[in-house]
């Protein structure tokens, strides 16, 4: 196993950070790694808002559902779909298609993962913050995003002050299908539920008594941020 | 610069492959690397369809807009948003929210980038195939995707039979904003246009006389796959 694969497979989300800052060199490397990512048709549709203002950090931590590490992490980056850039260059550009929002979301994931892995390879840690989508319009206003630009998620980065266990995942047999979609093997999910039950019961903090199926059913049988469609549409995105 | 950052920053899309296969060990490592990725609320909403059937590969190459490497690459993986998995476990699950499609697209990007980097770290190469979205319903039918599962993009992987140059990207100053969105600096784009003009004129194959602004304006002033919204809605996704 080479060090790239070790870094990738050693990922744990880090939510507790030392007060040590990230050096300018390290941050430049993290950003350059993000920018080196594949970009659909070289459109380069992602902007990153680096939030250094402590007051804005405090607001964002609140908007994300009181996640204190948004305030305390050495760096906090917000990944945005940005077609304002292209529209500024030429108003003939039509950012309103769902296709372009999909490209933005996929490319943001690709770019952000490069950033996270670059950070992890330097001994830093981080976590994705989807919770910003709890209050998209408020986050958008705070970061002064123009029309045709929408925020997607944040990322905390810093020097880890915790060493959590690896979190078990569904087995590869469930994730990978050959040539055509295969129905879910419920027995494999039951085994995984048992694994997750043991994981949650034994982990060092935030223990719970729950398997995976229960957890995802609880989450997904509620409405999932039903205002996100309106938010995107209000930015002139995902309309058609 | 450590080897993780070297791999990340050394990325070039590879579209020409040797006939050498990818070993089972290598493929298992690539998949395990994908699965190790962050997953929003641990929902694990991605399925990968590995296409080994030569007839299906030929069809997919055609659907992607006659991209021959879809047929000739050692491996071809299709990344899908999969809420059929969760719906199978419990029909109370509501996959119809835009939020859940966004999560799927971002998480597919994160997972796929882990796969690509793992492959690149082993001397393999690859390229994302967004062109599958030229014919989403046909690709969907070919892979027999159920309701609540939608294909997003493909990935070719194999032993590189080309050694392309690094493709220049927009400078970090354009991508990264501090605390609030900064208007586009047109002068920086003009310089980048010049860089891209030189790159396209000088590269070893597929030379063209174009800057970046021209290229993206040409692309984005047309309708962008206007049937993608219908496709997602037909799968019970991104409706609300």
């Amino acid at each position: 196993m080479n060090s790239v694969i070790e870094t990738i497979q050693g990922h744990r989300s880090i939510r507790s950070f030392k007060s040590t800052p990230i050096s300018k060199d390290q941050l430049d490397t993290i950003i350059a790694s993000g920018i080196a990512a594949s970009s659909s048709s070289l459109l380069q549709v992602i902007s990153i808002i680096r939030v250094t203002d402590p007051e804005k950090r405090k607001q964002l931590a609140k908007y994300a559902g009181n996640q204190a590490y948004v305030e305390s992490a050495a760096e906090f980056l917000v990944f945005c779909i940005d077609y304002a850039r292209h529209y500024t260059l030429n108003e003939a550009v039509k950012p309103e298609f769902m296709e372009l929002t999909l490209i933005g979301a996929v490319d943001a994931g690709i770019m952000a993962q490069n950033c996270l892995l670059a950070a992890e390879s330097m001994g830093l840690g981080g976590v994705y913050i989807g919770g910003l989508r709890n209050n998209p319009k408020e986050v958008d206003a705070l970061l002064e995003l123009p029309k045709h630009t929408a925020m997607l998620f944040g990322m905390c980065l810093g020097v880890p002050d915790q060493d959590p266990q690896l979190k078990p995942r569904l087995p590869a047999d469930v994730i990978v299908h050959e040539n055509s979609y295969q129905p879910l093997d419920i027995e494999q999910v039951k085994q995984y539920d048992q694994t997750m039950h043991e994981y949650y019961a034994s982990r060092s903090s935030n223990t719970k008594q729950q398997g995976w199926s229960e957890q995802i059913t609880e989450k997904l049988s509620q409405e999932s941020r039903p205002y996100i469609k309106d938010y995107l549409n209000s930015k002139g995105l995902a309309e058609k």
Side-chain angles (χ1 to χ4, degrees), chain A:
Chain A
M1 194 181 285
N2 66 48
S3 67
V4 177
I5 291 160
E6 270 173 28
T7 300
I8 290 173
Q9 297 191 6
H11 166 75
R12 287 92 35 87
S13 292
I14 298 297
R15 295 181 174 83
S16 178
F17 300 99
K18 296 190 174 155
S19 59
T20 325
I22 290 179
S23 72
K24 184 175 181 315
D25 268 6
Q26 285 181 322
L27 183 65
D28 288 349
T29 298
I30 290 166
I31 296 294
S33 297
I35 291 175
S38 296
S39 161
S40 183
S41 301
L42 200 65
L43 291 173
Q44 305 182 79
V45 303
I46 310 302
S47 269
I48 298 172
I49 318 287
R50 176 188 177 214
V51 185
T52 56
D53 177 340
E55 194 48 47
K56 288 198 175 187
R57 285 283 202 99
K58 187 181 265 188
Q59 283 294 319
L60 290 172
K62 198 182 72 177
Y63 292 151
N66 297 312
Q67 300 195 58
Y69 31 97
V70 169
E71 193 178 347
S72 60
E75 293 288 341
F76 188 68
L77 307 176
V78 181
F79 290 80
C80 304
I81 302 180
D82 183 359
Y83 289 100
R85 180 181 295 152
H86 310 78
Y87 191 80
T88 301
L89 290 170
N90 194 319
E91 291 190 8
V93 159
K94 303 176 196 299
E96 66 266 29
F97 291 95
M98 174 75 83
E99 161 72 4
L100 297 180
T101 293
L102 269 194
I103 286 178
V106 171
D107 282 11
I110 295 172
M111 178 188 265
Q113 186 59 6
N114 270 8
C115 293
L116 183 59
L117 289 170
E120 288 174 341
S121 78
M122 296 186 289
L124 304 171
V127 61
Y128 287 94
I129 305 293
L132 289 185
R133 293 193 305 277
N134 288 339
N135 291 287
K137 293 196 174 180
E138 290 77 3
V139 172
D140 189 285
L142 190 75
L143 304 178
E144 300 174 53
L145 304 184
K147 191 156 187 190
H148 304 128
T149 294
M151 70 92 203
L152 283 173
F153 57 83
M155 182 185 285
C156 296
L157 293 171
V159 177
D161 196 25
Q162 63 179 165
D163 185 17
Q165 299 156 252
L166 285 177
K167 191 182 276 186
R169 297 294 201 268
L170 283 168
D173 284 353
V174 171
I175 304 295
V176 181
H177 312 240
E178 192 165 345
N179 292 316
S180 59
Y181 191 92
Q182 304 302 314
L184 188 63
D185 180 343
I186 306 284
E187 281 310 310
Q188 286 198 300
V189 176
K190 279 187 186 160
Q191 281 176 37
Y192 177 64
D193 277 337
Q194 186 56 36
T195 304
M196 285 308 292
H197 212 280
E198 287 160 17
Y199 164 79
Y200 282 132
S202 75
R203 70 179 176 180
S204 42
S205 69
N206 195 18
T207 58
K208 48 184 168 181
Q209 294 293 328
Q210 207 177 31
W212 181 74
S213 300
E214 283 171 273
Q215 181 187 328
I216 61 99
T217 299
E218 192 178 302
K219 181 104 187 160
L220 292 176
S221 49
Q222 300 162 23
E223 295 197 320
S224 293
R225 295 181 179 131
Y227 40 80
I228 287 293
K229 184 165 185 290
D230 274 355
Y231 167 61
L232 291 174
N233 292 167
S234 77
K235 308 296 314 226
L237 298 171
E239 292 172 324
K240 296 190 188 176

